[in-house]
Amino acid sequence: MTTSPSEPVRFDPAAADPRWQAVWDERQSFRADDNSNKPRSYVLEMFPYPSGRIHIGHVRNYTMGDVLARYKRMTGHEVLHPMGWDAFGMPAENAAMEKGVHPGGWTRANIATMKAQLKRLGFALDWSRELATCEPDYYGHEQALFLDLYHAGLVYRKESAVNWDPVDMTVLANEQVIDGRGWRSGALVEKRKLSQWFLKITQFAEELLDGLGELKDWPEKVRLMQENWIGKSQGLRCTFRFVDSKDGIEVFTTRPDTLFGASFVAIAADHPIAQRMAANAPELAAFIEECKQGGTTAAELETAEKKGFYTGLSVEHPLKKAWHLPVYVANFVLMDYGTGAVFGCPAHDQRDLDFARKYDLPVTRVVADGDETSATFRGNEAYTGPGRIVNSEWLDGMSVEEAKADVIARAHHDGWGEGTTVWRLRDWGVSRQRYWGTPIPFIHCESCGVVPVPKSQLPVVLPEDVDFRTPGNPLDRHPTWKHVDCPKCGMAALRETDTLDTFVDSSWYFLRFASQPADKPFDPAVIAQWLPVEQYIGGIEHAILHLLYARFWTRALAHIGLIDVKEPFASLFTQGMVTHETYSRTDPANGQPVFFSPDEVTRGADSAALKADDGPVEIGRVIKMSKSKKNVVDPDDIIAHYGADAVRWFMLSDSPPERDLPWSEAGIEGCARFVQRLWRLFGQYDAAAVAEDKALDRKRDQTVAAVAEDIESLGFNKAVARIYELTSAIDKAAPSASRSAAIRTLLLLAAPMMPHLTEEAWAGIGEGIIADAAWPPVDPALLVEDEVTIAVQVLGKLRDTITVAKGLPREEVEALALASDKVQRALDGKAVKKVIVVPDRLVNLVA
């Protein structure tokens, strides 16, 4: 007799999904308990920016975390799996300017929409801990932490060069400067000096670098990217003296071994020497202005045309006083790396070689990797590999490392240089001249200077009555908000009108998720229970900035004694993207492509047409989903058609989770069919069945063990494949107690992935809700294979297979093989001359 629910022909996700979501909400099934005695598991996906709607790419990220969180609950863990919103940022201000809406209203409306979308997917989230970084009850605590860091000497203010958009009247990040112009206004960007707030991340450079070695469960690629970004360089800081002068130019180099190949010295456009000379040299001043229009990142300078301005100055070579090197102002030298000055060795640095060829400067080989040792270097590709030193007097024959050590020792002995370490990492400039961000909690007083806002006056709340019709920061021109009394002397003063970089908001949100007291940012004792995050999931695009800043923020808070954890994320997983082909037509007016979304297009086998006019559209490459290319798929439509579980199953199937997943209608339809197949199979559960099926029992427990291992290692596609295999095995099995036990187990295995379907079926078994069920146990004895399937060949051709006890003696295996009807037919009466037996694998009969 079956004990399944009265079974409809098909599983109805439109009815089941919202019903079970309401049950979970009512029972607060996924609310984490800070007082639990269970082992803890903190699972977290990078929280989203509320841009308007989630797309199917978000769904993959959150589904992976959800499966792991549900599995951890089933294995007896107290699970923290929260969700919130990285809610400050420029898109909200752009919407305010373009649509005449308030950034706060736009952001909160988007949050409501996206939250509803996430709920429709049935994610096991603790919504009681939901936070939005744009709310005062979050950013007020951020202001308090910023002040704590300030009082500990980790926050300071100084003048710094910035990218200034003169039309939008705001500072732009390097990534927002495109071909020297503002990304939104198109105006030529200016380099300006502004007073900016900084966090002393460089104080933790060594710690952050060394800490990477402890992050064994982070992708090697991410660790390498952070290592390169931190950029520890050991080299020589030395002085090239002006001819006939005690003064000179201080240079830092990581290649002192190539000093004999030096042909010029180059200084940054904002180097003090360049600035002094420009005051009386209009042509140099014009060149410096031109440099200001270019990029400021190392990557941009690497690809830009190398340009220089000869200053007329010469310096002495530190090893050969008679050699005089020309001094240039160059557009590829950064003032904030090393000393803002370099010597150029063109034969062994591509940037220097490009510059030397352009300005007809000497190129001398000083490192050789083979027989070619002549001083003349004729190629256009610098040699940057290992080798032996040549054309360098006493250094000749040394390795690169030996020569470096020799030159540094000589510089120290003779007093013209010192071995030193420099870092590519710069202190973190956190000032932004924008409204929609966390107000920086300081006050400027003519008498007292810069004064921190007393913590009793926090949060410093953004004003609501702001006007975006005029370019620039609305806080600067607000009639009342910035006018306050100095907390020290009581005289009239002005608030700081800069707001914090939004990366600050995402550098500690994982702490606030874990602990949310009203009177302080977090409770250290509760943080100690939950942190570090056991599994963090997000895109590779966050490998450097967000992840590095979060690591710094955690270490800084530990440094000042607020927490007792130094690394925020024990394990990091960077998932692949969901991709889709693009559809477009060329606009005859401007020759630019006009993109169309998938729901605007009818797709044929080899072509596509626009539904509006039935005209053809071009099918483009399968690429990352992007709103600008309109190749996004809205999950709401897919859920409405196929149900949440089919969507979740698709996200986990086929592609390894670290690789991209191409979206396809055929794929989601196949997943929907499998949902119905499982529903029919679950309906065959029979509690009264009595017969045993030893092979199915073994398959069941082996699958349980393998799926658990796959989920633990985030190998979701492998887990899916094993569930398919067990489903097929159950389908083929005869009715038995073993078959019903396997169906029950299959329900539990599928529960983290298809929670609505499995809840519906579990209700018919009458054992509470599956969200509270335990992961199925395994019998260790059943994990050991005691039977093997052996191939039986006649004259090398497969004729049959036999299943025998593992390790069966050779004579018994031969007898079973010869007893096979199929083998006897293949022998056709011929005598067997030889029997080859490979134990537990193969029998070959030679007739």
Side-chain angles (χ1 to χ4, degrees), residues 152-168:
L154 297 177
V155 173
Y156 66 95
R157 192 168 181 259
K158 72 168 185 177
E159 272 205 341
S160 175
V162 297
N163 302 312
W164 181 258
D165 186 317
V167 172
D168 280 349

Side-chain angles (χ1 to χ4, degrees), residues 392-627:
S392 300
E393 299 191 4
W394 70 87
L395 298 177
D396 287 356
M398 292 184 184
S399 69
V400 167
E401 294 306 317
E402 289 169 341
K404 285 180 180 180
D406 186 285
V407 172
I408 290 173
R410 186 175 296 259
H412 175 74
H413 180 270
D414 295 344
W416 53 269
E418 289 286 345
T420 189
T421 299
V422 299
W423 303 84
R424 182 176 183 269
L425 183 67
R426 304 267 68 84
D427 277 343
W428 177 10
V430 294
S431 292
R432 298 294 180 267
Q433 291 67 41
R434 300 175 190 142
Y435 163 75
W436 194 235
T438 297
I440 296 177
F442 285 87
I443 291 168
H444 300 273
C445 173
E446 285 190 7
S447 301
C448 305
V450 180
V451 181
V453 174
K455 284 194 175 182
S456 61
Q457 295 179 18
L458 298 180
V460 177
V461 178
L462 289 169
E464 290 291 323
D465 54 333
V466 286
D467 178 13
F468 288 92
R469 288 173 295 183
T470 304
N473 183 356
L475 297 179
D476 269 335
R477 56 179 183 271
H478 193 279
T480 59
W481 181 82
K482 68 178 181 179
H483 298 283
V484 292
D485 293 336
C486 173
K488 265 191 175 181
C489 68
M491 300 296 289
L494 295 174
R495 285 196 189 282
E496 172 65 67
T497 57
D498 285 357
T499 53
L500 287 173
D501 180 4
T502 54
F503 276 115
V504 174
D505 308 332
S506 57
S507 292
W508 72 284
Y509 78 106
F510 44 88
L511 300 173
R512 185 67 181 169
F513 272 147
S515 174
Q516 299 182 346
D519 60 340
K520 55 188 174 182
F522 42 74
D523 182 335
V526 178
I527 293 297
Q529 292 177 338
W530 288 112
L531 268 289
V533 173
E534 182 179 4
Q535 184 64 64
Y536 198 39
I537 302 174
I540 189 71
E541 67 271 18
H542 300 292
I544 296 174
L545 295 182
H546 162 56
L547 288 169
L548 183 63
Y549 291 154
R551 293 183 62 222
F552 156 66
W553 196 265
T554 304
R555 286 181 177 270
L557 295 179
H559 174 76
I560 63 176
L562 292 185
I563 56 176
D564 193 24
V565 60
K566 291 188 175 180
E567 288 291 347
F569 314 120
S571 180
L572 172 71
F573 184 79
T574 55
Q575 87 286 348
M577 298 175 290
V578 181
T579 59
H580 198 291
E581 62 192 11
T582 60
Y583 308 110
S584 65
R585 282 181 184 169
T586 301
D587 187 339
N590 57 23
Q592 297 299 309
V594 177
F595 290 95
F596 304 99
S597 62
D599 58 5
E600 295 178 285
V601 170
T602 301
R603 181 69 160 87
D606 301 308
S607 61
L610 190 65
K611 292 177 181 177
D613 58 16
D614 208 29
V617 295
E618 182 180 345
I619 301 172
R621 294 184 303 112
V622 174
I623 61 172
K624 173 187 175 182
M625 287 189 180
S626 157
K627 290 182 179 178

Side-chain angles (χ1 to χ4, degrees), residues 11 645-646 671-680 754 757:
F11 171 67
D645 288 342
C671 292
R673 286 194 297 272
F674 186 67
V675 168
Q676 298 301 332
R677 179 185 175 189
L678 283 181
W679 178 244
R680 292 191 296 272
M754 299 183 181
L757 169 73

